[in-house]
């Protein structure tokens, strides 16, 4: 085998699915590790499922994830779809327009590997119903197989509607060798004469995928295992054309914790969902790589460079990879901790604005301080609002239990008073003040340790645990602290 060539071939039916991103990632990792080429092809032969803007959205999601490719479909600087590479076009509807599929199906018709089928929808519906009623797996009964090519061409010329079907040999074993799933043998008596060209003249996925993978020189087909049952048809098509089949690699389905396929109704499935919730591209990609694959050592934090180094199909698991949100959060929090304050602050700002906690003019020093204060407790950016809300609200509430334990004692009023005095001695609260104030209160009141810190924290935040008190004091500022202390001064 010469240079390895891999492709990701999504259908533009909406957003990029999280399982699709993992498929793209494994293709990319293998291509990069082997100095191969990676190609993005768009499979849009099912025109009824085409969604406007889906191609752009797919490309943007891949870009966000840091998955780049060498050939195929790209966006230019103005966001227009363009194509690059020597094997184009890379959009199947354009290949259809060029007559590529027609040309190749003719070869199969000539060689007797395909035939025209003129059966009406009615007939096929009936057939299916009868087969079902008899407990059989519905499939085409081969009625039109005996129509000669000559006669078929006449009927086509006369305007009869038709599809073109693959002509499978009878009682023949088809062998699929899959790098992950192993050897699979299926007999043609258990297979259907697959439609290759539909009545609208468009190829089916099965036909287009084989023709394109061959013409684009694809050496490895890496895709989700929902395509495994279709692979024998593809293998037979390669045989019928006399082409060498690529290596097949079918990846285990991404499952939720209940071991069910991710569903839009119960799970986040679109990459955009994860972006919106504030997962970092590095975090999501690192975690996704581990859903259905594991590196040789125990290390689970692997950036793209290390993933490329470590990745191999041998360590891809045969059965479903579980998408575990807790683990994703853990991996993502690792990448958040590695961000510098300024960068994290920029990421957090839109979430805080959206939740009406700050506005666009919130000072950048405070944003940086906020970022550094919550850096260690954030799994994703979205959580910043819930975690930091107490800083922005006018009043804080203490639970009855905490109030009894921490702010009902006699010395609390004295503490509040001392804090207020400290505040009144300065123009505003800065980091200098924040660092010293607790010491000063301690000196003034003689109260220290738990008796000092817990009540102050409770008065200022409504909680008895939380982020660094010095930071909280600075973030709250003079006005807010004064207000919060007031209700504790007798
Ligand atoms: N267009 C198919 C999809 O949307 C691609 C399957 C394949 O990779 O062969 O999943």
């Amino acid at each position: 085998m010469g240079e390895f060539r891999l492709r990701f071939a999504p259908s533009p039916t909406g957003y990029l699915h999280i399982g699709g991103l993992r498929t793209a990632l494994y293709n990319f990792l293998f291509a990069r590790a082997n100095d191969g080429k990676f190609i993005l092809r768009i499979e849009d032969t099912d025109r009824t499922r085409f969604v406007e803007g889906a191609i752009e959205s797919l490309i943007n999601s891949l870009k966000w994830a840091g998955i780049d490719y060498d050939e195929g479909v790209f966006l230019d600087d103005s966001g227009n779809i363009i194509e690059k590479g020597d094997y184009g076009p890379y959009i199947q509807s354009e290949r259809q327009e060029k007559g590529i599929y027609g040309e190749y199906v003719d070869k199969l018709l000539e060689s007797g590997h395909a035939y025209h089928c003129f059966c009406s929808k009615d007939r096929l519906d009936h057939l299916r119903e009868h087969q079902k009623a008899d407990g059989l797996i519905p499939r085409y009964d081969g009625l039109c197989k005996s129509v000669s090519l000559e006669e078929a061409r006449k009927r086509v010329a006369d305007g009869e509607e038709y599809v073109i079907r693959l002509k499978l040999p009878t009682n023949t074993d088809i062998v699929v060798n899959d790098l992950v799933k192993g050897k699979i043998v299926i007999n043609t008596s258990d297979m259907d004469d697959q439609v290759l060209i539909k009545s609208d003249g468009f190829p089916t996925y099965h036909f287009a995928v084989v023709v394109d993978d061959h013409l684009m020189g694809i050496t490895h087909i890496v895709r989700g295992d929902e395509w495994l049952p279709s692979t024998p048809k593809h293998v037979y098509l390669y045989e019928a054309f006399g082409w060498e089949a690529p290596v097949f690699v079918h990846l285990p389905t991404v499952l939720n914790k209940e071991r069910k396929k991710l569903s839009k109704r119960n799970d986040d499935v679109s990459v955009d969902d994860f972006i919106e919730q504030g997962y970092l591209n590095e975090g999501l990609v690192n975690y996704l790589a581990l859903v259905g694959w594991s590196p040789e050592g125990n290390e689970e934090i692997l950036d793209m460079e290390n993933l490329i180094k470590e990745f191999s199909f041998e360590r891809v698991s045969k059965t479903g990879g579980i998408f575990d949100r807790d683990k994703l959060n853990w991996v993502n929090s690792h990448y958040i901790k590695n961000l510098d304050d300024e960068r994290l602050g920029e990421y957090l700002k839109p979430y805080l604005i959206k939740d009406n906690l700050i506005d666009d003019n919130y000072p950048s020093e405070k944003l940086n301080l906020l970022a550094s204060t919550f850096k260690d407790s954030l799994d994703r950016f979205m959580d910043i609002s819930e975690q930091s809300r107490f800083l922005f609200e006018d009043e804080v509430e203490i639970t009855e239990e905490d109030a009894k334990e921490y702010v009902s004692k006699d010395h609390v009023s004295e503490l509040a008073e001392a804090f207020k005095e400290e505040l009144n001695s300065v123009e505003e609260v800065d980091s200098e003040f924040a660092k010293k104030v607790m010491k000063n209160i301690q000196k003034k009141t003689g109260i220290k340790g738990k008796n000092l810190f817990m009540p102050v924290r409770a008065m200022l935040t409504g909680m008895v645990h939380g982020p660094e008190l010095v930071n909280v004091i600075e973030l709250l500022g003079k006005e807010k602290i004064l207000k919060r202390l007031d209700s504790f001064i007798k």
Side-chain angles (χ1 to χ4, degrees), residues 2 18 51 70 75 83 166 234 264 292 300 332 366 400 481 485:
I18 199 77
V51 171
D70 310 290
L75 294 180
E83 296 179 44
L166 176 63
H234 303 175
K264 217 174 162 181
E300 291 190 298
N332 197 59
K366 279 209 163 183
E400 224 174 281
I481 302 179
L485 292 172

Side-chain angles (χ1 to χ4, degrees), residues 162-182:
Y162 67 95
V163 300
I164 297 175
R165 289 182 185 273
L166 176 63
K167 191 188 277 179
L168 285 173
T170 48
N171 193 20
T172 305
D173 279 345
I174 309 277
V175 182
V176 177
N177 282 305
D178 188 276
L179 224 53
V180 169
K181 308 276 176 174

Side-chain angles (χ1 to χ4, degrees), residues 14 58 114 130 140 170 254 266 303 305 357 393 403 421 474 490:
L58 282 164
H130 279 290
Y140 185 59
T170 48
V254 179
N266 302 321
D303 61 11
E305 203 180 308
L357 297 179
E393 280 172 339
E421 266 170 41
E474 195 184 339
K490 279 182 196 149

Side-chain angles (χ1 to χ4, degrees), residues 7 9-11 43 205 209 221-223 226-227:
R7 64 14 171 221
S11 299
E43 304 206 325
Y205 155 72
V209 79
I221 292 180
V222 182
R223 62 186 171 201
E226 68 270 28
W227 299 108

